[in-house]
Amino acid sequence: MASQQFEPPSGTRDFLADALRRRERVFTRIREVFARYGFEPLQTPAFERLETLTGKYGDEGDKLIFKILRRGEHEATGEADLALRYDMTVPLARVVAAYGSKLPTPYKRYAMGPVWRADRPGKGRFREFAQCDVDVVGSSSPLADAETVCALSDALDAVGVRDFTVLVNSRQALSGLLEVYGVPSDLGGGVLITLDKLDKLSPDKVAAELVDTRSLTPGTAEKLVADLTAFDAVERMRSALAGSEAGRAGLDEIDRLLDLAAPKVGKDRMAFTPRLVRGLDYYTGVIFEIVAEGMPGSIASGGRYDHLIEALGGPDVPACGGSLGVERIIGLLDQTADDGDRTDVAVTLIAPDTAAEIMGFAARLRDAGLRTEIYLASSRKLAKQLKWAADRKARFALIYGAADREAGVVTVRDMDTGEQSQVPPEELVAHLTGRCATSS
């Protein structure tokens, strides 16, 4: 128990310097891609009113909402009135409902920050994790869906994840399929939630849940699951939907997205995938997930959700969007430290009476944009201070003792080669700025 008191809560993490810098580089590259596509930043509170979030994610999703108990005089009731945000999409819908007349049309926004889910932690699965979202509100054009997929794909390329596949389906196509199989409309939502488990459970278990929990007949459940998981599932689905108006509309959506996005994303990185469902209730059109070798589940997902904003009391405007799972993406990247994490200059202090001059050197180097650290421990042994400089991954170390002061120079040590040179103090900034630029 004593050791656990210092651990972060299950499903959360502490990020020390190297990990945090790595994450910031990923966020920066993603942000730059989103900005190139014309998406504008938006920041919303970490928590929302409970009624804003509930009923938007389906039965399974609602169970994962972190609720916040009432405070003050209402605390004893044990009731909740607020909740940590589950994703970035519902808060966006609330913003559009509140500020619609002040926003451009269409409104293209990106949001980056933590979200929370009361889920069971596992590999690549956390209770607190970051999402990077892009959304287009106010456009029903298939170009909006394609731009969303292209922006997410470009962001993955920018951070160094290139071996991925965009799986595509349509809620309209799935609705048409349920219609063809005779599934009553009032059972459709629950059936889709269960079918969404095909990437986690075996087909037999999914079929059993469709019978036991969703009230389908064994024959219908087994045939539906078999068709969605067959090697020729695409052909089976296209054939089954030939007589369904909703199904044909869904197939048209899928084909348009593939035609528009594949030239940019790559035809070999996109695939119509009938078993893809996306369990959230608010999707109405094309849906997609991006998967990558070496990481279970998806690393990005999204789709079209045309009536969500209306459900929150706002105008009935079309919308689509997608989200990058940053935690899983970082898990796919090389975890070695980047040269950009190195200290430029480590300033030793071997003679206490040179402290004022040392502070002056450091100030001038920092003003010039160099990452500079001064040795702050008590030891005056040069060997120990040079080890500290090496531990800080410094490119260069400054040595300035009595002999250096008398000679009117500062000794600059290349920490990679061990070579040393003497530089007049007035030339120090120019000398190190040039050498750091060359070595970076």
Side-chain angles (χ1 to χ4, degrees):
M1 181 66 181
S3 62
Q4 291 183 353
Q5 67 177 320
F6 302 117
E7 296 178 1
S10 176
T12 67
R13 293 151 298 157
D14 298 313
F15 297 108
L16 301 184
D18 283 346
L20 193 55
R21 281 192 289 263
R22 188 179 301 116
R23 291 170 67 81
E24 287 303 318
R25 283 196 296 273
V26 169
F27 289 132
T28 296
R29 291 168 185 169
I30 293 172
R31 187 180 294 110
E32 289 171 349
V33 171
F34 290 171
R36 287 204 300 269
Y37 275 79
F39 292 96
E40 299 179 343
L42 172 68
Q43 182 172 312
T44 61
F47 52 87
E48 297 278 351
R49 292 181 177 86
L50 181 59
E51 62 266 24
T52 299
L53 301 183
T54 52
K56 312 305 186 304
Y57 305 109
D59 293 341
E60 297 293 327
D62 281 355
K63 294 175 183 177
L64 302 181
I65 294 174
F66 264 115
K67 299 176 182 178
I68 302 174
L69 295 180
R70 291 181 180 273
R71 297 143 306 284
E73 62 181 298
H74 304 290
E75 182 179 2
T77 67
E79 297 175 349
D81 61 341
L82 302 174
L84 296 177
R85 64 186 175 210
Y86 180 95
D87 68 358
M88 298 291 190
T89 307
V90 170
L92 166 66
R94 178 186 56 75
V95 167
V96 173
Y99 304 99
S101 62
K102 300 178 182 179
L103 300 174
T105 303
Y107 177 45
K108 299 173 64 177
R109 86 89 173 87
Y110 73 84
M112 303 170 67
V115 297
W116 294 266
R117 296 182 187 176
D119 206 350
R120 177 177 296 176
K123 182 180 179 182
R125 184 181 295 276
F126 304 95
R127 289 173 171 169
E128 178 186 63
F129 57 96
Q131 282 190 337
C132 298
D133 280 28
V134 286
D135 293 84
V136 181
V137 178
S139 173
S140 58
S141 170
L143 288 172
D145 304 297
E147 281 227 317
T148 298
V149 171
C150 289
L152 295 175
S153 300
D154 276 359
L156 289 173
D157 282 330
V159 302
V161 177
R162 297 180 176 87
D163 186 14
F164 62 82
T165 303
V166 183
L167 312 179
V168 180
N169 204 350
S170 164
R171 272 304 181 89
Q172 285 203 83
L174 288 167
S175 295
L177 191 66
L178 297 185
E179 174 190 318
V180 168
Y181 277 88
V183 176
S185 57
D186 60 323
L187 299 180
V191 169
L192 291 179
I193 289 172
T194 295
L195 290 175
D196 190 43
K197 299 179 181 180
L198 281 170
D199 63 340
K200 305 179 187 72
L201 303 178
S202 68
D204 288 344
K205 289 183 177 179
V206 172
E209 183 174 318
L210 289 173
V211 174
D212 298 338
T213 306
R214 306 303 180 184
S215 303
L216 295 191
T217 65
T220 298
E222 291 169 8
K223 183 69 165 61
L224 180 58
V225 170
D227 282 353
L228 289 178
T229 57
F231 74 93
D232 60 344
V234 171
E235 289 74 18
R236 292 191 187 194
M237 192 165 182
R238 288 188 181 278
S239 175
L241 295 179
S244 167
E245 183 177 350
R248 291 194 303 273
L251 292 175
D252 287 344
E253 287 181 329
I254 295 166
D255 292 338
R256 282 199 303 271
L257 179 58
L258 294 174
D259 288 342
L260 292 170
K264 173 61 175 167
V265 177
K267 288 185 177 181
D268 59 335
R269 297 201 296 188
M270 297 193 74
F272 172 21
T273 307
R275 66 186 292 166
L276 174 66
V277 176
R278 302 290 300 142
L280 301 181
D281 277 357
Y282 54 63
Y283 288 118
T284 59
V286 289
I287 52 176
F288 62 86
E289 287 186 353
I290 302 179
V291 297
E293 192 69 30
M295 183 58 65
S298 63
I299 60 173
S301 60
R304 178 160 286 278
Y305 51 95
D306 282 343
H307 304 299
L308 177 59
I309 295 170
E310 182 186 28
L312 286 170
D316 185 14
V317 293
C320 65
S323 174
L324 291 169
V326 177
E327 316 304 339
R328 296 183 178 184
I329 292 169
I330 291 175
L332 292 168
L333 302 178
D334 184 1
Q335 299 301 303
T336 57
D338 189 279
D339 278 350
D341 295 338
R342 298 184 67 181
T343 295
D344 291 317
V345 184
V347 183
T348 65
L349 179 59
I350 56 177
D353 63 345
T354 64
E357 292 158 281
I358 289 296
M359 286 289 289
F361 296 154
R364 287 156 53 196
L365 292 169
R366 289 164 178 158
D367 288 345
L370 299 184
R371 184 174 167 183
T372 305
E373 295 187 54
I374 298 175
Y375 184 75
L376 300 176
S378 59
S379 174
R380 293 294 170 256
K381 294 181 179 179
L382 180 59
K384 190 166 187 176
Q385 296 193 34
L386 290 177
K387 182 181 183 304
W388 160 77
D391 291 342
R392 299 302 299 155
K393 304 174 186 175
R395 289 180 171 91
F396 301 97
L398 296 192
I399 304 169
Y400 189 70
D404 298 285
R405 174 192 274 171
E406 185 175 344
V409 297
V410 180
T411 297
V412 177
R413 181 183 179 90
D414 187 317
M415 293 301 294
D416 292 335
T417 67
E419 296 178 355
Q420 296 187 168
S421 57
Q422 279 70 46
V423 181
E426 63 272 14
E427 298 177 11
L428 185 63
V429 171
H431 176 82
L432 283 170
T433 301
R435 294 191 66 181
C436 286
T438 301
S439 63
S440 62

